[in-house]
Amino acid sequence: DRLGDEITVNVASVVSISRAYIERLRQAGNGILINVASNAAYQPNPLLAVYGATRAFVLNFTEALWFESAGTGLKVLALSPGPTQTEFFDVIGTTNASGNTVLQTPRQVVEKALHTLDRRNPPPSIISGRRNHLQALSVRLLTRRRAVLTVGAMMKPTN
């Protein structure tokens, strides 16, 4: 049931809300649609498989909406923060998912998104935080097998 709820919130709700407003935003010729993905969307996520998969969906879905909205005046952005000081870790019951990295503040994440949207030609997606960006890029340098093993070792409980 918990996994079904996670898929409903992270996938179905994002699609429903985006679809409910996107045509009006496009027709208005301005506006912003930001969907929150995650740094987890760029890598395998052993021990958080459903979470990572849902975030990869949000990233790809939103980037497609960005393309479909080109020339309408609507700015569409997939925002991918890494570990952030929110109730997320309380909900999942562990801080292991942070990969022992420094947590960003919500303010830092929002400022990154707004700064990106202020650009003349904003990209379809951004990763908030230099360290998170480097981590997402570094996974691309590994074989898929090595990436899964490396991320899995970082996520493994330490008790």
Side-chain angles (χ1 to χ4, degrees), residues 77 79 104-118 126 128:
L77 181 69
L79 171 62
Q104 289 186 290
T105 67
R107 179 182 204 90
Q108 289 171 315
V109 174
V110 170
E111 285 176 354
K112 175 68 174 179
L114 295 177
H115 175 73
T116 299
L117 289 166
D118 280 343
I126 56 149
S128 179

Side-chain angles (χ1 to χ4, degrees), residues 75-87:
K75 295 180 179 182
V76 177
L77 181 69
L79 171 62
S80 295
T84 305
Q85 296 171 6
T86 66
E87 66 280 354

Side-chain angles (χ1 to χ4, degrees), residues 6 20 46 62 74 104 145 151:
E6 186 173 2
T62 307
L74 172 63
Q104 289 186 290
R145 177 186 179 97
V151 175

Side-chain angles (χ1 to χ4, degrees), residues 6 13 58 67 76 78 95 99-100 103 118 120-122 125 152 159:
E6 186 173 2
S13 296
V58 172
F67 180 86
V76 177
T95 58
N100 297 319
L103 302 180
D118 280 343
R120 189 170 54 89
N121 189 17
S125 58
N159 45 354

Side-chain angles (χ1 to χ4, degrees), residues 39 42-44 101 127 129-151 154:
N39 197 35
Y42 295 88
Q43 62 198 19
T101 62
I127 299 170
R130 261 185 250 264
R131 230 175 161 180
N132 298 323
H133 190 78
L134 290 173
Q135 180 183 1
L137 290 176
S138 68
V139 172
R140 293 180 182 177
L141 301 174
L142 303 173
T143 64
R144 294 303 295 169
R145 177 186 179 97
R146 179 56 52 202
V148 172
L149 291 170
T150 300
V151 175
M154 289 171 47

Side-chain angles (χ1 to χ4, degrees), residues 46-60:
L47 307 177
L48 289 172
V50 172
Y51 176 78
T54 62
R55 293 309 176 185
F57 175 89
V58 172
L59 174 66
N60 286 279

